[in-house]
Amino acid sequence: MFIPYGKQNISQADIDSVVNVLNSDFLTQGPHVPLFEKSVAEFVGAQHALAVNSATSALHIACLALGLGKGDILWTSPITFVASANCALYCGAEVNFVDVDSQTYNMSVEALEKKLQQAKIDHKLPKIVIPVHLCGQPCDMEKIHQLSQEYGFHIIEDASHAIGGKYKNTYIGSCKYADITIFSFHPVKIITTAEGGMALTNNADLAKKMDLFRSHGVTRNQELMTKEPEGPWYYQQVELGFNYRMTELQAALGVTQLTRLEEFVAKRHKIANQYNEILKDLPIILPYQLPETYSGLHLYVIQLKLDQISKTRKEVFEALRAKGIGVNVHYIPVHTQPYYQNIGFTKEKFPKAEAYYAAAISLPMYPDLTSEQMDYIYQSLKEVLL
Ligand SMILES: *Cc1c(COP(=O)(O)O)cnc(C)c1O
């Protein structure tokens, strides 16, 4: 028996909709991509949605649409997947990090404000800040938005963990406090399209730019052309774009997955509540839940109280893996990765992020996790920790 840390849930309706696409005329660039985009945009309350082949691609085209380039600076959290930072480097910009909050492990608003004050003096203000809704718990977007007004930066929400979650009663993705929000549909995430991602915005100009960047910078829209079409075949390349398109198979899967989004997130909450109950007497810190947010609950991360147990984090991790529990660690602080060390992150420290990393373990979290499995995880943790 092996219990993974995350796993997709695929229904017969999901399978049927993908098979229907295989039997149809369009495997790509057909009707399902726009349908999926419209469905997600309506669900979260955003005006524009651009489906792409990954969240990594969505981050890249979001940065490009906001004009990020050489000489610009982007800040994100060190506790995230590397993609949230790499997007800056793709654009030739510089990247830097803001330390995390010790309760939510999201980007700390206090640390952000302090860093902005110093950056203003040093003339090194960021063009873009990417808050990451870690584990699905929304960042304090209202405050980050206020700071963006004061210091003049753009906001991309990395909501790879957070579709279906809410911040102060609005769905994540509504872009109430951000220029662009991005989602991931990787199979471990909350809904899946196998690989896939999406960028949402309420800004028509940003949507138009992202649409160009995801498909070679090529347009058939006469309004975007520099001259009259030479004939009905005519298209123009007006930007240097990429092929980041989502396929019809993926979008059809996304459409049926989306109909179960609320059910998936509700199940994740049920599992988290059950974990909170059964794990409460162990020498661990349970995830903190901000009262004004509804988490997407992509991950359930515990912190070991290392001063109260006789094992290291590595020993605990290995013992749980040996028992067939697919624990994981989210994330290794990005600035400590060899690539980032090589580009100069040897001196700057993000102490709260590093302390979080040293004690973090992600327990299995997915809609089909059973009570029996959770009980087995509890018994195993108890045996390993006590
Ligand atoms: C998964 C993830 C990504 C990248 O998603 P892909 O769809 O795999 O490209 C980016 N940021 C965060 C926080 C993620 O968890």
Side-chain angles (χ1 to χ4, degrees):
M1 183 190 66
F2 184 77
I3 309 170
Y5 90 84
K7 195 177 166 212
Q8 69 277 12
N9 171 299
I10 298 296
S11 67
Q12 192 57 46
D14 291 330
I15 294 168
D16 291 345
S17 65
V18 174
V19 171
N20 283 342
V21 172
L22 281 170
N23 287 319
S24 77
D25 288 337
F26 297 103
L27 301 187
T28 188
Q29 295 176 285
H32 289 90
V33 168
L35 174 63
F36 183 40
E37 290 171 338
K38 185 166 171 277
S39 308
V40 176
E42 276 173 7
F43 183 89
V44 301
Q47 281 170 33
H48 309 275
L50 288 298
V52 284
N53 58 3
S54 71
T56 303
S57 304
L59 285 163
H60 188 190
I61 61 170
C63 288
L64 289 171
L66 289 167
L68 192 75
K70 211 169 147 58
D72 293 329
I73 301 168
L74 177 150
W75 291 356
T76 188
S77 168
I79 300 298
T80 185
F81 186 55
V82 293
S84 322
N86 288 345
C87 55
L89 305 179
Y90 296 159
C91 299
E94 249 182 73
V95 68
N96 210 324
F97 302 94
V98 180
D99 208 354
V100 299
D101 176 88
S102 46
Q103 212 167 17
T104 62
Y105 319 122
N106 277 332
M107 177 184 283
S108 154
V109 174
E110 290 73 38
L112 175 62
E113 185 162 17
K114 250 173 120 179
K115 201 175 168 104
L116 286 164
Q117 286 163 354
Q118 187 57 47
K120 192 172 176 186
I121 295 166
D122 299 341
H123 299 285
K124 292 206 73 171
L125 281 169
K127 182 163 193 165
I128 297 175
V129 172
I130 303 189
V132 181
H133 304 314
L134 189 71
C135 306
Q137 168 140 266
C139 296
D140 195 345
M141 291 312 300
E142 209 166 42
K143 291 217 186 99
I144 296 172
H145 184 256
Q146 274 167 13
L147 290 170
S148 80
Q149 302 291 300
E150 195 178 335
Y151 289 91
F153 57 83
H154 295 291
I155 299 174
I156 301 172
E157 285 176 58
D158 184 341
S160 293
H161 300 183
I163 192 170
K166 287 179 200 168
Y167 173 74
K168 298 187 174 176
N169 292 319
T170 56
Y171 275 109
I172 293 296
S174 72
C175 297
K176 187 167 176 194
Y177 300 105
D179 297 278
I180 298 167
T181 301
I182 69 104
F183 291 137
S184 171
F185 307 125
H186 182 280
V188 296
K189 305 286 163 72
I190 292 168
I191 58 169
T192 190
T193 62
E195 296 281 359
M198 194 173 276
L200 295 108
T201 184
N202 292 325
N203 179 317
D205 184 52
L206 291 176
K208 219 176 335 181
K209 285 181 175 152
M210 292 194 284
D211 188 30
L212 276 175
F213 283 122
R214 78 168 155 182
S215 195
H216 309 282
V218 161
T219 185
R220 287 176 188 279
N221 178 352
Q222 206 176 319
E223 282 170 32
L224 301 177
M225 293 183 185
T226 57
K227 61 171 190 173
E228 289 287 300
E230 291 166 9
W233 65 86
Y234 197 63
Y235 59 86
Q236 276 192 349
Q237 185 190 339
V238 295
E239 286 282 1
L240 182 61
F242 303 84
N243 183 350
Y244 284 166
R245 291 188 304 261
M246 178 179 272
T247 68
E248 286 288 289
L249 300 157
Q250 292 168 304
L253 179 54
V255 169
T256 49
Q257 284 268 303
L258 184 67
T259 63
R260 292 186 295 145
L261 171 59
E262 284 174 297
E263 175 197 325
F264 288 158
V265 177
K267 279 189 178 159
R268 287 173 179 275
H269 275 264
K270 207 165 153 231
I271 290 163
N273 290 339
Q274 202 167 330
Y275 267 145
N276 290 345
E277 192 51 38
I278 61 179
L279 303 178
K280 67 176 190 280
D281 296 326
L282 295 177
I284 58 180
I285 300 169
L286 299 176
Y288 174 73
Q289 178 60 56
L290 283 168
E292 74 268 26
T293 71
Y294 180 67
S295 176
L297 270 169
H298 164 52
L299 298 172
Y300 188 89
V301 177
I302 58 167
Q303 289 269 301
L304 302 180
K305 290 182 176 166
L306 290 166
D307 54 344
Q308 291 178 29
I309 58 179
S310 57
K311 292 195 176 73
T312 63
R313 191 265 304 267
K314 185 162 173 251
E315 285 166 345
V316 172
F317 189 98
E318 284 171 345
L320 292 170
R321 277 281 176 99
K323 288 174 178 296
I325 300 168
V327 284
N328 218 312
V329 172
H330 298 91
Y331 290 91
I332 301 166
V334 178
H335 66 283
T336 68
Q337 294 289 354
Y339 186 85
Y340 282 85
Q341 291 286 295
N342 286 339
I343 61 169
F345 283 97
T346 47
K347 289 197 200 73
E348 216 161 345
K349 295 276 179 267
F350 302 93
K352 288 194 174 145
E354 285 161 38
Y356 159 84
Y357 166 64
I361 292 185
S362 304
L363 297 183
M365 168 55 91
Y366 52 91
D368 295 327
L369 193 69
T370 65
S371 289
E372 292 70 37
Q373 286 173 318
M374 274 188 269
D375 200 51
Y376 175 71
I377 292 163
Y378 163 66
Q379 294 298 340
S380 305
L381 261 171
K382 197 163 133 185
E383 208 180 301
V384 172
L385 295 176
L386 301 180

